[in-house]
Amino acid sequence: MIRSSEGIEIPTSLAQWCDPHRMALVIYDMQVGICRQITGAAAIVERTGIALEAARSAGMRVAFTRHLSLPRKWMGATQLRTAMAWQRCDSPDMVEPWFPRDAEATQIIPELAPRADEAVFDKLTMSAFDSTALSFALHDCGVRAIALAGVAMEIGIEPTVRQAADNGFVAVVIEDACGFGNREARDRSMATLRFLGEAIITDVAGFCGALATGR
């Protein structure tokens, strides 16, 4: 640990950040309807599952996010514009809510099903910190860092990582457990995160090894 003159402790290693009392694992949008759209989803599911089991074995808190669609009556200009872009339609009246709360497409894939003691945060935004109680819950439990896996890096994981710092958390990106829809956009996201330097970048092996070291 590095300690400031004011007594602030800053972990200096991944193992220190991965202390289950200090960190939570956030599985981002690993939903049935989203995984169907991602090339190489099976590999991401497998690697995310490895990270998830390591976190569970270490007693780390685990949270899942799910992207929701509101009923069309509750879709305002921002939601409709986003849906039109994603659904490639030029009329708001053609938009279909892809992720209603109880739809099969909205559910977390069975391979990564949340346990009873794991949190699920439903969101309307790309960042997991907007439109959810994630930040409150983490702060309330004394958690200072999050590790992230799931899909998709260039859509929601990057803004979540960047907003983590604005909310007072250190983000650890488990890079090979983060899927993407567009390779070039994903590479730009990773380049941005590396340039900013706020996030810690690791892989599944590094994350699992850090958990094992900390025991």
Side-chain angles (χ1 to χ4, degrees), residues 2-10:
I2 296 175
R3 185 187 297 270
S4 77
S5 60
E6 300 297 329
I8 303 297
E9 290 186 338
I10 305 172

Side-chain angles (χ1 to χ4, degrees), residues 185-198:
R186 176 264 182 203
D187 290 347
R188 288 194 297 270
S189 290
M190 290 305 306
T192 297
L193 295 179
R194 286 190 164 94
F195 171 76
L196 291 172
E198 296 170 336

Side-chain angles (χ1 to χ4, degrees), residues 61-214:
R61 291 179 178 87
V62 175
F64 294 79
T65 68
R66 301 193 312 171
H67 193 78
L68 293 189
S69 301
L70 289 181
R72 190 183 291 129
K73 190 176 185 68
W74 277 92
M75 285 187 175
T78 301
Q79 294 173 77
L80 287 169
R81 287 186 71 251
T82 300
M84 288 167 64
W86 279 102
Q87 297 178 25
R88 295 180 174 83
C89 56
D90 55 11
S91 169
D93 294 330
M94 296 173 63
V95 165
E96 293 293 335
W98 279 357
F99 299 105
R101 183 180 299 277
D102 297 323
E104 178 196 8
T106 307
Q107 308 313 307
I108 304 298
I109 59 171
E111 297 93 325
L112 304 176
R115 294 180 176 176
D117 64 349
E118 295 170 347
V120 179
F121 294 93
D122 290 340
K123 60 185 181 59
L124 302 175
T125 53
M126 299 307 166
S127 169
F129 286 102
D130 278 326
S131 72
T132 77
L134 176 61
S135 183
F136 167 80
L138 293 170
H139 280 301
D140 200 37
C141 291
V143 173
R144 295 179 55 197
I146 59 170
L148 282 136
V151 292
M153 170 56 70
E154 74 278 22
I155 302 300
I157 295 177
E158 181 198 348
T160 297
V161 170
R162 297 187 65 176
Q163 200 167 7
D166 291 342
N167 280 269
F169 303 102
V170 168
V172 173
V173 178
I174 309 176
E175 184 174 5
D176 59 347
C178 292
F180 55 88
N182 180 281
R183 166 68 74 173
E184 291 182 356
R186 176 264 182 203
D187 290 347
R188 288 194 297 270
S189 290
M190 290 305 306
T192 297
L193 295 179
R194 286 190 164 94
F195 171 76
L196 291 172
E198 296 170 336
I200 299 170
I201 312 298
T202 189
D203 55 18
V204 171
F207 177 70
C208 295
L211 284 174
T213 300

Side-chain angles (χ1 to χ4, degrees), residues 20-77:
H21 296 98
R22 182 177 286 119
M23 174 180 282
L25 174 64
V26 177
I27 307 296
Y28 187 96
D29 287 12
M30 290 295 282
Q31 297 164 245
V32 171
I34 295 177
C35 288
R36 287 173 180 165
Q37 303 176 50
I38 299 296
T39 301
I44 297 301
V45 172
E46 180 181 3
R47 289 194 284 268
T48 299
I50 294 171
L52 176 59
E53 289 308 312
R56 285 170 169 169
S57 296
M60 181 176 286
R61 291 179 178 87
V62 175
F64 294 79
T65 68
R66 301 193 312 171
H67 193 78
L68 293 189
S69 301
L70 289 181
R72 190 183 291 129
K73 190 176 185 68
W74 277 92
M75 285 187 175

